[in-house]
Amino acid sequence: MLNKYARAFFTRVLTPFAALLIRLGVSPDAVTLVGTGGVVAGALIFYPQGEFFWGTVVITLFVFSDLVDGNMARQLGRSSRWGAFLDSTLDRVADSAIFGGLALWYAGGGNDLVLCAIAIFCLASGQVVSYTKARGEAIGLPVDVNGLVERAERLVISLVACGLSGLHAFGVPGVEILLPIALWIVALGSIVTLGQRVVTVRRESAEADAVATQGGNGA
C-alpha cells in the first residue's frame, strides 16, 4: 500500500541526487550494490548487539538506494531486465539481513526465543510473499492485488520500531516494547498478504484456464 504513494514522493525528492550521481559517472548497478552492502552491514553489525538506533540510522541511509538506482536508470534510458533482476534479488538479501540481525539479537543478548522465532518467520514469510507474486507473473498472470503488508510496509514498520526501541539506550523509557509489537504485526500482516496473493493467483488462474478452454472449444 505504501509503495504507490511513498515511492512516488521519494522518487521526486531523490531525483536531483540521482542526477548528480549520473554526472559523477556512477552506474545504477553500483548504487544497488553499495546500498545493499550498507543495509547488510548495518543490520548484521549493529542489530545483533542490540544497537537498534544506530543500526537503523545506517540502514536508512542506504535503503533509499532502492529508489535512487531505478531513478538513475530511467534518466539514462537504461531500464533493463538485468537491472530489474539485480535490484529484486538484492532486495531479498537486504530484507534477510534485517530480520536475520534481529533474530541473532533475540537468540543471544535479547534472550527471547519466541521473538527469535517470530523474526525468522518474518524473514521467511517476506521471501514467500515476494515469491508468490514473482511466480504468478512467471506463469502469465497479472497478480493484481495490493497486499496488506508488502515490502515497503515491512521495512517501514520494522525500521521505525527498531529506531524508536533503540532510544531506550538514551534513557527513553518504555520504547523497547515497540520492536516486539512490530515483529508480531509484520508476521501477522505477512500471513494475510500471503493469503491475499494465493487467493488472487487461484482466481486469476481459474479465469485464464476457463478462457483457454473456451477458446479451444471454439476452435
Side-chain angles (χ1 to χ4, degrees):
M1 293 185 293
L2 288 175
N3 279 332
K4 180 178 179 181
Y5 303 103
R7 182 173 288 271
F9 171 76
F10 284 111
T11 295
R12 289 195 298 272
V13 171
L14 294 170
T15 293
F17 179 62
L20 173 62
L21 292 177
I22 291 172
R23 289 196 296 273
L24 293 174
V26 179
S27 72
D29 287 353
V31 172
T32 303
L33 291 167
V34 170
T36 302
V39 171
V40 170
L44 295 183
I45 292 174
F46 290 96
Y47 282 0
Q49 302 179 63
E51 294 285 349
F52 297 129
F53 178 79
W54 292 115
T56 302
V57 169
V58 172
I59 291 169
T60 302
L61 289 174
F62 286 98
V63 80
F64 286 106
S65 66
D66 187 45
L67 300 177
V68 174
D69 55 5
N71 193 310
M72 292 172 65
R74 285 189 294 273
Q75 290 189 47
L76 290 168
R78 293 183 187 170
S79 296
S80 65
R81 292 182 177 87
W82 162 249
F85 169 80
L86 181 66
D87 188 59
S88 180
T89 299
L90 294 184
D91 282 349
R92 307 287 84 76
V93 173
D95 294 357
S96 297
I98 291 171
F99 290 107
L102 294 175
L104 288 173
W105 162 249
Y106 284 117
N111 193 30
D112 192 322
L113 292 182
V114 172
L115 288 176
C116 175
I118 294 300
I120 293 172
F121 179 82
C122 289
L123 188 162
S125 61
Q127 307 302 311
V128 176
V129 166
S130 297
Y131 176 79
T132 54
K133 185 174 180 65
R135 182 58 180 153
E137 292 174 342
I139 60 176
L141 301 174
V143 196
D144 187 16
V145 60
N146 291 320
L148 179 65
V149 177
E150 298 180 318
R151 183 173 188 259
E153 287 82 7
R154 292 196 301 272
L155 286 180
V156 170
I157 293 170
S158 302
L159 293 178
V160 169
C162 282
L164 293 176
S165 293
L167 294 176
H168 178 70
F170 298 94
V172 179
V175 290
E176 65 273 13
I177 192 63
L178 295 176
L179 180 53
I181 292 173
L183 288 175
W184 279 102
I185 290 173
V186 171
L188 295 173
S190 295
I191 293 173
V192 173
T193 305
L194 178 60
Q196 289 175 303
R197 291 192 173 180
V198 169
V199 169
T200 298
V201 169
R202 180 177 175 80
R203 173 178 53 79
E204 291 178 349
S205 61
E207 292 172 352
D209 289 344
V211 170
T213 299
Q214 292 172 0
N217 292 336

